[in-house]
Amino acid sequence: MAEVLVYVDHVDGAVRRPTLELLTLARRIGEPVAVALGSNAEKTASTLAGHGALRVLTHEASEYADYLVVPKVDALQAAVEAVSPAAVLIPSSAEGKEIAARLALRIGSGIITDAVDVEAGDEGPVATQSVFAASFTTTSRVSKGTPVITVKPNSAAVEAAPAVGAVEALNVSFSDQTTGTKVTSRTPRESTGRPELTEAAIVVSGGRGVNGVENFAIIEALADSLGAAVGASRAAVDAGWYPHTNQVGQTGKSVSPQLYIASGISGAIQHRAGMQTSKTIVAINKDAEAPIFELADYGVVGDLFDVVPALTEEVKTRKG
Amino acid sequence: MKYVPDATGDRHFADDLTVDRDDVDGLLSELDEYAVEQALQISENTGDDVEITALTIGPENAKDALRKALSMGADKAVHVEDDDLHGTDAIGTSLVLAKAIEKAGYDLVVSGMASTDGTMGVVPALVAERLGVPQVTLLSEVSVEDGTVKGRRDGDTATEYLEAQLPAIVSVTDQSGEARYPSFKGIMAAKKKPVISWDLSDLDIDAKEIGLEQAHTSVESAAQRPARATGTVVKDEGEGGKQLAEFLASQKFI
């Protein structure tokens, strides 16, 4: 059976969830071979083995942290040459897409970004994408070279699938371009204790109607009662009420949780683009004509300052 | 820069499963306005002789995007147009851009973070790979001083500060600063600024290298997503929070 390369997104050896979802998809196409790079890469092996990785190729070097994107492209290119895989799967983060693009160009392949599903096909893997603010669904195939596909978070279930997970050292020689862009400093994002926005099963978002930075506390309180991540519309972020890293929409994060609760968000196309594929959508808005209600499985026309705290209390009561 | 179908209008696919660019209203991709703005600011802050060239690939009406950039303050424009470009994918687009950038000459290439139609966000990285220059991308802050470009990149897990020597390619996000509106004077001045047209032969590109037939990916199907089933909408008469909790419980969320 052909091998499928999976690029491992990890922080100091802790594998991030989208990589485990990729292993689920990789097993549909072939035998997963993981590539883990940088500090504590070997520590990822046991988790990866538990989710189906037959082999884990690792390489530790300071270049991965000190220079942008290109060192990782060099390593993946080396892995492609060593393994001759049937496909390369990479998490669809901003960095993941840049790595994928440069890799595809170097190995003469096509690239598909932001897939929401990947299936085996007669002529190679078939990727499903959601386009035009999720108003269309397309299926595509890479028709030249080894398919390079980036996959969005929440596109597949994480499945336990014990495999060997043999750790092997990957030989990497860095290219002339490797040291072009220096990372002069890095500040890790402070943990809020809440789930990661793109990975959360439930997202509670606030928009223009929240009307002030101090009022986001009621959005956060609802999120915490549900164990949810907090999102914000572009209007709320532009007003400075919530950080850009929490922005949901075209120029922010694209989320696809089981439940999305939009409070005080009208539902402009730019916002819908980032949340339209959520399984269940709930909307709270004063304006009965707000377009968000067209998407909502359940909507409440009312003042969010009444409805949201009441909902939070009710959730707490029911959860005991 | 990219001329794209208006996202607030009706966007669809043509019969060959490419984005329909003929039958729709178009405009300069909003995210590219930030690139024009940062180019103008870098030029203003550098003080010495900076010339800004606006570059786009696309059909005749893509010139509208160039006019917008010229009226904001760019000095000249280059329009790459050729019937053989139809259906070109991101890999092919990066080839055309790289050739045009080399022909135009450059110290710094500034682009938007992604187009508002394709939304891949990979073209700046691809162009950097082709040109063999540093990629300094997805910046929320950017500055140029003494031949060095510096910027701030807000990633998923960390904020990074980046640095590279010119020549380089940068891309800027919508957090980099609101784009200016063209002044009346700017709009009038833009009419006198040069717009150069190049086709593939001007760029020494063989038509066999690009276009729909040569794309590295093929779209096999495109279907309109079924409209979401109409949900329940209630008016809050004091019980809205409770009713909502009831719904969430019925869906097993609580």
Side-chain angles (χ1 to χ4, degrees), chain A residues 7-271:
Chain A
Y7 173 77
V8 178
D9 186 5
H10 71 100
V11 178
D12 260 338
V15 181
R16 298 180 71 211
R17 185 187 154 97
T19 301
L20 303 180
E21 297 169 8
L22 290 191
L23 289 171
T24 299
L25 295 174
R27 285 189 292 118
R28 294 184 190 163
I29 312 167
E31 295 178 336
V33 175
V35 181
L37 307 169
S39 154
N40 285 315
E42 280 194 26
K43 275 197 189 164
T44 62
S46 61
T47 308
L48 298 169
H51 294 84
L54 262 72
R55 299 197 276 156
V56 180
L57 312 182
T58 63
H59 187 242
E60 296 196 17
S62 58
E63 277 84 351
Y64 297 114
D66 293 346
Y67 300 95
L68 193 71
V69 174
V70 189
K72 293 164 182 166
V73 181
D74 294 339
L76 274 176
Q77 184 181 8
V80 168
E81 282 160 9
V83 174
S84 302
V88 182
L89 302 183
I90 299 175
S92 229
S93 61
E95 184 188 48
K97 290 201 279 189
E98 292 183 332
I99 294 169
R102 297 184 72 135
L103 173 70
L105 186 55
R106 282 195 195 173
I107 63 175
S109 291
I111 175 178
I112 292 174
T113 58
D114 294 322
V116 294
D117 199 8
V118 181
E119 298 276 359
D122 293 340
E123 296 169 274
V126 176
T128 303
Q129 290 164 289
S130 202
V131 302
F132 292 164
S135 58
F136 277 80
T137 301
T138 61
T139 56
S140 306
R141 209 166 45 74
V142 169
S143 46
K144 277 188 189 166
T146 306
V148 178
I149 302 172
T150 76
V151 183
K152 282 184 145 181
N154 274 321
S155 294
V158 173
E159 293 169 4
V164 183
V167 176
E168 298 168 31
L170 180 68
N171 281 320
V172 182
S173 51
F174 291 123
S175 66
D176 296 348
Q177 288 187 30
T178 303
T179 55
T181 307
K182 192 165 175 42
V183 179
T184 51
S185 78
R186 176 180 289 111
T187 317
R189 203 156 300 300
E190 270 176 52
S191 172
T192 56
R194 298 191 183 94
E196 177 98 19
L197 184 56
T198 52
E199 301 170 14
I202 302 178
V203 174
V204 180
S205 285
R208 196 185 298 276
V210 176
N211 200 26
V213 60
E214 64 285 356
N215 298 336
F216 254 88
I218 71 163
I219 302 295
E220 290 178 335
L222 175 58
D224 291 342
S225 75
L226 291 162
V230 176
S233 73
R234 183 170 174 176
V237 171
D238 283 354
W241 303 338
Y242 224 68
H244 179 251
T245 43
N246 294 71
Q247 184 174 318
V248 173
Q250 187 159 53
T251 57
K253 301 277 161 45
S254 169
V255 300
S256 197
Q258 296 297 320
L259 172 64
Y260 188 88
I261 302 180
S263 314
I265 292 175
S266 65
I269 179 87
Q270 286 81 357
H271 188 72

Side-chain angles (χ1 to χ4, degrees), chain B residues 3 12 23 25 43 68 88 124 142 148 151 162 167 181 199 205-206 227 236:
Chain B
Y3 179 78
H12 41 257
D23 198 21
D25 292 333
S43 160
K68 176 83 184 261
T88 301
V142 60
T148 301
L162 308 177
Y181 286 103
D199 62 14
I205 297 172
D206 191 329
D236 178 33

Side-chain angles (χ1 to χ4, degrees), chain A residues 227 264 276:
Chain A
Q276 191 150 255

Side-chain angles (χ1 to χ4, degrees), chain B:
Chain B
M1 310 185 323
K2 188 172 181 183
Y3 179 78
V4 296
D6 188 344
T8 57
D10 187 18
R11 296 181 291 181
H12 41 257
F13 287 90
D15 292 340
D16 62 357
L17 298 181
T18 60
V19 175
D20 191 338
R21 299 185 187 280
D22 296 331
D23 198 21
V24 292
D25 292 333
L27 75 178
L28 169 61
S29 175
E30 184 208 338
L31 296 173
D32 290 340
E33 290 185 16
Y34 296 98
V36 178
E37 177 61 35
Q38 288 309 310
L40 291 167
Q41 288 192 19
I42 289 166
S43 160
E44 287 157 5
N45 295 338
T46 308
D48 43 63
D49 218 6
V50 178
E51 184 182 62
I52 300 174
T53 305
L55 166 67
T56 195
I57 305 176
E60 176 64 23
N61 47 14
K63 279 206 177 81
D64 292 353
L66 294 176
R67 283 283 163 222
K68 176 83 184 261
L70 291 173
S71 61
M72 285 171 73
D75 299 297
K76 63 174 184 165
V78 172
H79 180 207
V80 180
E81 184 186 12
D82 200 305
D83 288 345
D84 288 326
L85 284 165
H86 176 77
T88 301
D89 62 359
I91 302 257
T93 300
S94 70
L95 172 68
V96 179
L97 282 173
K99 292 270 192 182
I101 289 164
E102 276 178 331
K103 188 177 167 82
Y106 70 102
D107 297 300
L108 180 69
V109 179
V110 188
S111 81
M113 63 191 287
S115 66
T116 53
D117 59 345
T119 71
M120 289 175 76
V122 297
V123 166
L126 287 169
V127 172
E129 176 75 31
R130 288 197 186 269
L131 293 173
V133 301
Q135 148 191 355
V136 197
T137 47
L138 298 172
L139 304 181
S140 52
E141 288 169 14
V142 60
S143 65
V144 176
E145 211 173 321
D146 300 330
T148 301
V149 56
K150 292 183 184 180
R152 170 192 163 129
R153 172 171 162 124
D154 293 316
D156 281 350
T157 55
T159 290
E160 295 167 329
Y161 286 89
L162 308 177
E163 198 176 299
Q165 298 301 310
L166 299 183
I169 176 160
V170 311
S171 74
V172 297
T173 71
D174 62 333
Q175 299 300 299
S176 59
E178 205 61 42
R180 68 193 66 187
Y181 286 103
S183 64
F184 179 70
K185 205 174 138 202
I187 292 166
M188 295 312 287
K191 293 182 177 167
K192 296 200 186 79
K193 291 176 179 171
V195 178
I196 304 156
S197 284
W198 288 336
D199 62 14
L200 291 178
S201 63
D202 291 321
L203 300 177
D204 291 325
I205 297 172
D206 191 329
K208 289 196 200 82
E209 294 177 79
I210 43 91
L212 186 57
E213 289 299 314
Q214 284 309 307
H216 293 66
T217 52
S218 61
V219 179
E220 308 209 314
S221 72
Q224 194 143 17
R225 195 182 168 83
R228 292 186 77 100
T230 316
T232 311
V233 178
V234 299
K235 195 170 179 329
D236 178 33
E237 310 274 7
E239 294 289 305
K242 254 197 176 110
Q243 287 166 291
L244 201 40
E246 200 59 51
F247 170 77
L248 296 183
S250 73
Q251 301 292 310
K252 310 239 182 305
F253 288 116
I254 44 177

